[in-house]
Amino acid sequence: AQSVTQLGSHVSVSEGALVLLRCNYSSSVPPYLFWYVQYPNQGLQLLLKYTTGATLVKGINGFEAEFKKSETSFHLTKPSAHMSDAAEYFCAANAGGTSYGKLTFGQGTILTVHP
Amino acid sequence: NAGVTQTPKFQVLKTGQSMTLQCAQDMNHNSMYWYRQDPGMGLRLIYYSASEGTTDKGEVPNGYNVSRLNKREFSLRLESAAPSQTSVYFCASSVDRGYQPQHFGDGTRLSIL
């Protein structure tokens, strides 16, 4: 069975600082990977996805993530945090086999941005 | 462009009451999903429908039933609500049961007393 682990339930950064949100997956096959963002009282919005090909994936709002098979990781980064980035972020995996078509989510990381 | 619409947005029930959460999508997607979100646990899949006319259990199906009414609509029913079902429920849809991203509604916040 696949699983997704996000290290750190809360991350706090200053405006303009680097954002790094960590995600590791456990899967018998390399999964398709996603990052979603959730603003208060809203649903989840897709930030970016990794399917195949280039391992560095660029998403919306200046975010990017790198798929590292050897480390089973898909960490999310943004060079310079903005106040509007404050939200909860979810990493999710969609693997094949019996999990085909099903998303497995990490526990979520709440990002706080200080002025 | 509405995307995925969920009704109601908020609901309070008493233990033992029944309720149906409604979900509709206007993107002509084949696959639809129901999740529950609880603090510190991310989203967990309750049921999904790969295509019209099919439904399958997800990770936490106990206490729930679903109906794929047509291609657009996918409802979730609580037959006898329990306090453990207090949660935020999200409906999502995707082009098909594959690796395409899922699109989410804004959620239904359900409290069971």
Side-chain angles (χ1 to χ4, degrees):
Chain A
Q2 65 183 2
S3 66
V4 177
T5 302
Q6 293 180 237
L7 296 176
S9 58
H10 290 81
V11 170
S12 180
V13 301
S14 299
E15 191 172 21
L18 171 71
V19 175
L20 171 60
L21 305 183
R22 301 176 187 273
C23 172
N24 288 87
Y25 66 90
S26 171
S27 174
S28 58
V29 296
Y32 288 59
L33 296 160
F34 306 84
W35 274 100
Y36 285 87
V37 60
Q38 184 181 32
Y39 298 102
N41 299 315
Q42 294 186 23
L44 278 68
Q45 300 174 29
L46 180 70
L47 269 180
L48 49 80
K49 64 178 180 179
Y50 169 76
T51 53
T52 58
T55 56
L56 182 62
V57 180
K58 295 187 183 299
I60 62 172
N61 301 338
F63 284 94
E64 62 183 34
E66 185 171 11
F67 171 64
K68 292 187 176 180
K69 183 178 177 180
S70 62
E71 299 178 7
T72 60
S73 69
F74 191 56
H75 300 332
L76 181 70
T77 60
K78 182 175 181 178
S80 177
H82 192 273
M83 297 295 290
S84 60
D85 294 327
E88 189 164 15
Y89 293 78
F90 292 94
C91 181
N94 185 341
T98 57
S99 298
Y100 178 64
K102 300 178 187 178
L103 273 180
T104 298
F105 284 86
Q107 305 93 318
T109 298
I110 296 173
L111 176 65
T112 303
V113 182
H114 296 287
Chain B
N1 40 332
V4 178
T5 302
Q6 293 183 235
T7 55
K9 295 189 183 302
F10 303 93
Q11 186 70 47
V12 178
L13 293 178
K14 294 181 180 179
T15 297
Q17 287 185 317
S18 62
M19 168 152 195
T20 299
L21 308 185
Q22 306 287 352
C23 175
Q25 52 90 10
D26 62 2
M27 296 174 284
N28 201 35
H29 286 171
N30 289 305
S31 300
M32 298 184 74
Y33 312 82
W34 276 106
Y35 294 89
R36 60 177 290 172
Q37 182 181 26
D38 301 292
M41 302 187 74
L43 278 74
R44 292 179 292 168
L45 183 65
I46 305 172
Y47 271 93
Y48 69 101
S49 171
S51 60
E52 186 178 356
T54 69
T55 60
D56 286 287
K57 295 178 180 179
E59 182 184 354
V60 289
N62 292 344
Y64 305 96
N65 285 300
V66 291
S67 295
R68 183 74 183 267
L69 305 171
N70 48 55
K71 190 172 184 179
R72 290 186 63 247
E73 299 173 287
F74 188 38
S75 63
L76 178 71
R77 183 163 179 83
L78 287 70
E79 290 291 351
S80 179
S84 61
Q85 294 178 304
T86 293
S87 187
V88 182
Y89 291 85
F90 287 98
C91 177
S93 69
S94 62
V95 172
D96 59 30
R97 180 198 174 196
Y99 303 121
Q100 292 83 3
Q102 294 180 15
H103 300 258
F104 287 79
D106 285 341
T108 294
R109 285 149 185 81
L110 183 61
S111 293
I112 300 167
L113 307 177

